[in-house]
């Protein structure tokens, strides 16, 4: 057999062997021609591609790509070990390019280094022979690592579901009004109920609460945590329009307990804010600011 034909046969056997290991571990079902490694699974129609260590690209037939939802790329990281990456349709569109060689004009190429920017979902070992007569693929896969990843992802989903349930209940109790960080809405809730203020309509620009005399208050809330003890308040905008009379600056503990509440006049806010490159002014609730005549701690 000519050398090129032999090398091509060996490459095909290698690709099919790796594809079988990946398919078994990710619970994929082969659907296409026996030579295509096309498959289907929970994430739709896919194809399994492999590249040995040192290979720079993987290739995808242009006629195949439109019907694919995902590419499973097994990339060699040493002699017998491969990391498996899930390359979604969006990432394929981002990474693909047309090769310069005319003989490859029927394919899209994707650089291995781009694929490696993604997070691997699986690690497999292949110690099988490349002989056409005897293929003995090793299925020594890091199952424990893969299962741990699945458990972590499941727990993350459970936590976000709990978070959504908590947010829904806080909205029902009228503690929060939006789907944003709850600290801001909770600060407004505390100021409203502890000071007997009136909630401004959602469409109000530049202020959150008013009193019976029509005085306008903008509320800025900061929650301090063990990971972030910064006392920088949320950004101020359009200060030159004087959209509020006073700022109520609120500091919460990590457990959302009211720790401090300060009332600061508009002119003091203007005096101490500093411009940023992001189009707003910032203010840190500390130092000389807290000693100004127009600043008073009320809680």
């Amino acid at each position: 057999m000519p050398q090129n034909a032999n090398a091509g046969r060996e490459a095909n056997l290698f690709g099919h062997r790796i594809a079988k290991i990946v398919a078994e571990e990710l619970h994929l079902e082969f659907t296409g021609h026996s030579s295509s490694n096309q498959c289907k699974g929970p994430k739709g129609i896919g194809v399994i591609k492999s590249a040995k260590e040192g290979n720079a690209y993987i290739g995808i037939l242009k006629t195949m790509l439109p019907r694919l939802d995902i590419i499973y790329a097994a990339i060699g990281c040493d002699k017998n070990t491969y990391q498996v990456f899930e390359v979604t349709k969006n990432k394929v569109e981002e990474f693909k390019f047309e090769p310069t060689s005319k003989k490859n004009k029927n394919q899209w190429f994707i650089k291995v280094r781009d694929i490696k920017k993604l997070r691997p979902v699986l690690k497999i070992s292949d110690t099988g022979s490349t002989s056409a007569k005897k293929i003995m693929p090793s299925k020594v896969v890091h199952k424990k690592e893969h299962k741990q990843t699945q458990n972590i992802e499941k727990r993350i989903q459970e936590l976000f579901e709990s978070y959504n349930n908590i947010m829904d209940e806080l909205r029902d109790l009228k503690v929060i009004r939006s789907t944003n960080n709850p600290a801001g809405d909770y600060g407004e809730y505390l100021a409203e109920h502890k000071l007997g203020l009136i909630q401004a309509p959602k469409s109000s620009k530049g202020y959150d609460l008013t009193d019976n005399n029509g005085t306008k208050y903008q509320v800025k809330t900061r929650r301090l945590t063990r990971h972030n003890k910064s006392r920088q308040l949320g950004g101020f905008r359009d200060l030159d329009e004087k959209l509020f009379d006073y700022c109520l600056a609120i500091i919460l503990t990590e457990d959302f307990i009211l720790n401090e509440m300060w009332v600061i006049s508009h002119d003091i806010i203007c005096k101490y804010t500093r411009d940023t490159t992001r189009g707003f002014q910032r203010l840190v609730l500390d130092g000389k600011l807290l000693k100004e005549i127009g600043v008073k701690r009320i809680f």
Side-chain angles (χ1 to χ4, degrees):
M1 181 181 292
Q3 185 175 0
N4 287 345
N6 199 16
R9 183 177 177 80
E10 293 289 333
N12 286 336
L13 290 171
F14 158 74
H16 296 327
R17 184 171 66 251
I18 295 296
K20 287 179 181 179
I21 300 173
V22 173
E24 182 173 343
E25 294 305 320
L26 295 182
H27 307 291
L28 306 174
E29 178 185 350
F30 289 110
T31 59
H33 189 272
S34 59
S35 63
S36 72
N37 291 336
Q38 184 175 308
C39 57
K40 68 177 180 180
K43 298 185 179 180
I45 300 298
V47 67
I48 302 169
K49 307 296 292 187
S50 53
K52 292 184 177 181
E53 183 185 15
N55 287 5
Y57 312 102
I58 63 169
I60 309 293
L61 289 173
K62 290 182 178 179
T63 54
M64 176 183 282
L65 188 58
R67 61 177 181 266
L68 297 180
D69 300 301
I70 192 167
I71 295 172
Y72 301 95
I75 307 299
C77 49
D78 58 36
K79 186 177 180 181
N80 296 316
T81 306
Y82 296 81
Q83 289 182 317
V84 181
F85 300 83
E86 293 180 342
V87 189
T88 62
K89 183 176 287 189
N90 288 340
K91 285 299 179 182
V92 171
E93 290 300 316
E94 178 183 340
F95 293 157
K96 73 178 185 181
F97 68 96
E98 195 160 12
T100 55
S101 172
K102 290 184 178 180
K103 68 178 182 179
N104 294 319
K105 285 294 184 181
N106 64 334
Q107 296 187 74
W108 291 111
F109 275 14
I110 300 176
K111 293 179 181 178
V112 166
R113 70 184 184 192
D114 285 335
I115 294 173
K116 286 184 174 180
K117 295 175 184 177
L118 306 175
R119 184 171 179 266
V121 297
L122 186 65
K123 198 171 186 180
I124 63 173
S125 292
D126 170 48
T127 57
S129 167
T130 57
S131 166
K133 295 181 179 178
K134 191 175 183 180
I135 300 175
M136 298 179 63
S138 166
K139 291 186 283 186
V140 181
V141 182
H142 293 247
K143 292 184 179 180
K144 185 176 180 181
E145 179 182 328
H146 184 49
K147 188 171 182 179
Q148 285 176 340
T149 300
Q150 289 180 322
N151 289 340
I152 290 171
E153 290 175 351
K154 182 180 178 182
R155 181 56 181 154
I156 290 171
Q157 190 60 45
E158 289 173 350
L159 289 171
F160 275 122
E161 287 176 2
S162 298
Y163 174 81
N164 287 335
N165 291 334
I166 291 169
M167 294 290 282
D168 286 342
E169 188 165 350
L170 287 172
R171 268 192 297 275
D172 291 341
L173 293 171
K174 302 190 184 305
V175 174
I176 62 174
R177 294 197 286 174
S178 69
T179 56
N180 300 327
N181 180 348
D185 283 349
Y186 185 48
E188 293 178 23
Y189 174 88
L190 289 172
E192 176 188 355
H193 288 81
K194 288 187 175 295
L195 302 179
L197 300 176
I198 303 165
Q199 195 175 84
K202 281 188 176 182
S203 59
S204 302
K205 180 183 177 183
Y207 67 99
D208 305 298
L209 303 167
T210 61
D211 63 17
N212 291 326
N213 297 320
T215 304
K216 297 176 181 178
Y217 298 85
Q218 184 174 118
V219 181
K220 294 293 183 183
T221 305
R222 184 76 187 191
R223 174 173 167 254
L224 306 185
T225 72
R226 74 199 86 170
H227 307 295
N228 188 349
K229 300 184 183 298
S230 170
R231 293 172 64 90
Q232 180 174 311
L233 303 179
F236 290 88
R237 298 180 185 273
D238 304 319
L239 286 175
D240 56 329
E241 297 182 29
K242 197 176 180 182
L243 300 172
F244 62 91
D245 300 297
Y246 294 94
C247 170
L248 292 171
I250 295 173
I251 299 294
L252 302 177
T253 68
E254 188 164 9
D255 297 324
F256 288 87
I257 296 171
L258 176 62
N259 193 45
E260 303 171 33
M261 185 184 295
W262 299 78
V263 58
I264 309 171
S265 63
H266 184 275
D267 60 325
I268 297 297
I269 294 290
C270 293
K271 178 179 177 180
Y272 281 89
T273 51
R274 296 293 179 265
D275 290 333
T276 69
T277 58
R278 298 168 62 186
F280 60 82
Q281 288 79 45
R282 66 181 182 88
L283 179 73
V284 180
L285 192 66
D286 63 8
K288 293 181 180 180
L289 164 68
L290 302 181
K291 299 177 182 179
E292 287 279 356
I293 295 176
V295 178
K296 182 180 179 181
R297 181 172 180 175
I298 52 180
F299 282 97

